[in-house]
Amino acid sequence: TQLLEQSPQFLSIQEGENLTVYCNSSSVFSSLQWYRQEPGEGPVLLVTVVTGGEVKKLKRLTFQFGDARKDSSLHITAAQPGDTGLYLCAGPNQAGTALIFGKGTTLSVSS
Amino acid sequence: GAGVSQSPRYKVAKRGQDVALRCDPISGHVSLFWYQQALGQGPEFLTYFQNEAQLDKSGLPSDRFFAERPEGSVSTLKIQRTQQEDSAVYLCASSLVAGGRYEQFFGPGTRLTVL
């Protein structure tokens, strides 16, 4: 069974702090996606990582895919209140018919 | 450029009632997915359509759940004889190409509360 475990589950920080969110699995994934979801809305894709060891940057967000393609991390530099939300990692199931999601990390950034 | 829309946004049902949730995907998107999301949790897969064909329904929790996409566009998720454990947000997503490996565009969800 493919599972994605995210940590921490909750994170509450002050504006300007840095943080890292982790997504781990015992299974190899062909790719991993990171989504951000705000209350009352559906998840929105931030990035897809495909190659082991890959690093992608999106403004203040840095995403890394582990060499063995079993884990990924999201690092936010100088967090802002607008970064508040639920961060989800997801990977395709073995059949390629759906995404398996982690339980998410709820981030709260206060000013 | 309309996104994925879902209706109703909120639904309250008495235990035992049947409900129908509608999803309008992005025009031209081949793939359509339904997910169930409990409060504060990640979405869990229910079923997948490629055009009008339901290729994977392994995530449907019981035979009370039924989904269709008869013309390859709009989809309906039906839940019969609702139970309290069915209370959740039901998300619909669509994707331009076949399969679940690529970017999925999500609707805002329907929040179902079963009393």
Side-chain angles (χ1 to χ4, degrees):
Chain A
T1 302
Q2 294 174 289
L3 291 175
L4 286 168
E5 297 186 358
Q6 289 189 240
S7 61
Q9 187 176 357
F10 299 98
L11 198 50
S12 181
I13 61 172
Q14 295 289 316
E15 182 176 5
E17 292 185 24
N18 302 331
L19 66 117
T20 302
V21 173
Y22 300 93
C23 174
N24 296 292
S25 177
S26 59
S27 304
V28 174
F29 282 87
S30 57
S31 62
L32 282 180
Q33 300 176 16
W34 285 91
Y35 287 81
R36 177 166 161 259
Q37 184 177 22
E38 298 191 40
E41 299 182 9
V44 176
L45 181 69
L46 296 173
V47 77
T48 301
V49 286
V50 179
T51 305
E54 181 177 8
V55 176
K56 281 191 172 179
K57 292 190 176 183
L58 184 66
K59 297 184 180 178
R60 294 176 294 100
L61 279 60
T62 301
F63 303 86
Q64 187 164 5
F65 199 11
D67 291 341
R69 291 185 286 127
K70 292 183 177 181
D71 57 88
S72 182
S73 63
L74 158 60
H75 182 80
I76 301 179
T77 302
Q80 299 177 0
D83 295 328
T84 293
L86 177 65
Y87 289 82
L88 297 158
C89 67
N93 64 3
Q94 288 184 339
T97 56
L99 288 173
I100 297 169
F101 283 85
K103 293 186 183 299
T105 294
T106 299
L107 172 65
S108 175
V109 183
S110 53
S111 57
Chain B
V4 177
S5 61
Q6 294 186 243
S7 61
R9 290 294 312 276
Y10 303 91
K11 177 70 179 177
V12 179
K14 293 183 178 179
R15 187 162 54 95
Q17 281 186 332
D18 297 349
V19 298
L21 312 180
R22 177 187 168 104
C23 172
D24 281 89
I26 295 173
S27 178
H29 277 201
V30 168
S31 297
L32 186 144
F33 310 84
W34 284 98
Y35 293 87
Q36 181 188 60
Q37 186 174 28
L39 188 63
Q41 303 291 310
E44 292 191 1
F45 169 70
L46 294 177
T47 187
Y48 163 61
F49 290 87
Q50 182 177 317
N51 296 309
E52 69 279 3
Q54 188 175 23
L55 298 187
D56 189 345
K57 55 181 181 179
S58 62
L60 295 176
S62 77
D63 58 8
R64 297 185 295 105
F65 287 71
F66 171 77
E68 60 184 3
R69 193 188 185 198
E71 297 179 357
S73 55
V74 171
S75 177
T76 303
L77 176 66
K78 298 179 179 178
I79 309 174
Q80 297 177 325
R81 304 181 303 281
T82 53
Q83 304 294 316
Q84 285 188 326
E85 61 263 28
D86 299 335
S87 295
V89 174
Y90 290 85
L91 294 168
C92 174
S94 69
S95 181
L96 181 62
V97 297
R101 302 182 187 278
Y102 309 100
E103 180 177 9
Q104 296 184 16
F105 295 84
F106 285 81
T110 294
R111 180 177 296 279
L112 173 65
T113 302
V114 182
L115 303 177

